[in-house]
Amino acid sequence: MLTVLLLAPRLSAFEALITNERSGDVVHINEKGNTSAVIPICNRPRGMTRTGDDDLVLVACSDDNKVIQYNRQTKSIDSAISSVYGAMNLTVHRPTNRLLTTNEGQSRATVFDLASGRLIAELPTGLEPDGIVITDDGNHIFVASENAGLVHVFDGQTYQPREPIRTNLRPRRLALLNNELWVSSEMGSRVEIFDVKTRQKIDEIVFAPKGFRPEQMTPVDILFNKSANEAYIALGGANHVAVVDISTREIIQYILVGKRAWGLGLSPDGKTLIVLNGLSDDFTMIDLISRRPTSTKRAGLVPHAIEVFE
């Protein structure tokens, strides 16, 4: 018995927050996947991101047309930025304290001063903008437009549009890694990789787990684990997560999770992956050493985004 206990993996403590679109709440969970609190916050909370303060996250409240600042310690809303119509996804450029959001029903993205809530710029996009990222130097903003099949590019200083990137079918989420832009193509069964500076396509990863049709490969979220040289891609309707070698682009493994794998979170020690399953209203925790699921537990209704804290 003592030997078994000594050999058992030790979980590093962390807390994760999950937004749930349909139930309108934030769920707090620990490293074992146990729920410690369920806090109603707004109508249709979707995208979520950190502010730079470990106690605070920003949440896009899509049906309330606002972005709220939620305090995970006090479990309360500290402040809100209003008139953010159809807020979908968001990111913060910390050096300039700018908040960037996509506005799903407005065919645009918006830039706010985070401290004052003042609107700085409106960036025109195609229909249904979703993922949004800004480079570390603040020079380039990228916005995925699902229905237009484009990643819109904007100058991060002047906010002027640049030549867009044409992608495969229905680009959804974006992720930056060094000088690379990774784009999930929901109806293209792939992730496309572009050079940030030239915006030329340099590679792609096509997903095809056995027993699934191409149209079931609907990749959405992308998450990097630099210490393990791995990328994780949630494959939506295929109910799997793909583990990809960052350097070679080779698919290492497919891991079965819940229905419509959507959002992804990584533990601070890089050993646990948390997968949000949008159609089964739960999340799956994966041990990344063995690459096996350890548990699947209930979230709220239609979990959307996750942030993980030490």
Side-chain angles (χ1 to χ4, degrees):
M1 177 67 73
L2 179 61
T3 301
V4 171
L5 290 174
L6 290 174
L7 291 176
R10 295 184 179 181
L11 297 174
S12 177
F14 63 83
E15 179 180 58
L17 307 183
I18 298 171
T19 58
N20 296 286
E21 282 193 59
R22 192 72 56 80
S23 50
D25 49 37
V26 167
V27 173
H28 293 238
I29 64 169
N30 65 14
E31 69 279 0
K32 296 180 181 179
N34 297 329
T35 297
S36 59
V38 179
I39 310 298
I41 54 168
C42 63
N43 291 307
R44 205 179 185 191
R46 301 172 89 182
M48 175 169 52
T49 193
R50 294 166 175 251
T51 65
D53 183 326
D54 278 346
D55 289 340
L56 303 175
V57 292
L58 297 167
V59 181
C61 296
S62 189
D63 285 359
D64 288 337
N65 299 320
K66 64 183 180 181
V67 172
I68 63 169
Q69 184 169 267
Y70 176 76
N71 189 312
R72 71 184 182 98
Q73 295 296 340
T74 63
K75 299 179 176 59
S76 62
I77 297 171
D78 283 358
S79 62
I81 299 174
S82 58
S83 301
V84 191
Y85 298 101
M88 174 67 172
N89 269 310
L90 62 172
T91 189
V92 171
H93 187 243
R94 294 181 187 174
T96 56
N97 207 33
R98 287 180 289 173
L99 167 67
L100 293 83
T101 73
T102 48
N103 306 91
E104 186 180 39
Q106 299 288 311
S107 298
R108 70 186 182 199
T110 43
V111 183
F112 294 88
D113 176 76
L114 186 55
S116 66
R118 178 178 61 88
L119 177 65
I120 298 174
E122 295 182 337
L123 314 178
T125 69
L127 294 175
E128 292 192 79
D130 188 350
I132 184 168
V133 293
I134 183 171
T135 53
D136 288 342
D137 60 14
N139 288 335
H140 298 93
I141 299 168
F142 299 96
V143 183
S145 178
E146 296 180 39
N147 281 358
L150 297 172
V151 172
H152 300 274
V153 184
F154 299 91
D155 185 291
Q157 308 302 323
T158 67
Y159 304 112
Q160 293 301 304
R162 299 289 181 252
E163 184 69 24
I165 299 171
R166 297 193 176 276
T167 70
N168 211 288
L169 300 175
R170 204 170 173 83
R172 290 299 307 272
R173 300 290 170 80
L174 311 174
L176 290 167
L177 180 67
N178 302 323
N179 291 318
E180 296 176 353
L181 175 69
W182 290 42
V183 182
S184 60
S185 175
E186 188 177 28
M187 296 304 171
S189 308
R190 69 197 66 201
V191 162
E192 297 177 279
I193 303 171
F194 299 87
D195 184 280
V196 167
K197 294 181 180 179
T198 67
R199 299 191 282 281
Q200 297 300 306
K201 185 172 177 177
I202 55 179
D203 210 342
E204 67 178 15
I205 304 162
V206 180
F207 304 105
K210 291 182 179 179
F212 288 87
R213 298 184 300 276
E215 60 268 24
Q216 292 177 288
M217 297 299 104
T218 54
V220 181
D221 217 4
I222 303 168
L223 183 63
F224 298 118
N225 185 353
K226 292 182 182 179
S227 63
N229 194 45
E230 292 177 347
Y232 312 112
I233 293 90
L235 296 182
N239 305 336
H240 281 73
V241 169
V243 182
V244 174
D245 184 292
I246 290 174
S247 300
T248 65
R249 325 279 199 219
E250 295 295 323
I251 299 168
I252 300 171
Q253 188 172 333
Y254 293 107
I255 303 172
L256 180 65
V257 289
K259 293 181 180 179
R260 200 184 189 193
W262 186 269
L264 299 172
L266 184 67
S267 64
D269 63 5
K271 295 180 180 179
T272 302
L273 182 68
I274 306 169
V275 185
L276 306 185
N277 306 309
L279 287 186
S280 49
D281 298 332
D282 54 26
F283 59 91
T284 300
M285 302 187 77
I286 297 172
D287 172 31
L288 290 173
I289 304 302
S290 64
R291 298 201 186 99
R292 292 180 179 273
T294 57
S295 64
T296 294
K297 298 192 177 184
R298 183 172 177 79
L301 300 179
V302 190
H304 185 99
I306 179 170
E307 286 289 334
V308 186
F309 299 84
E310 289 191 66

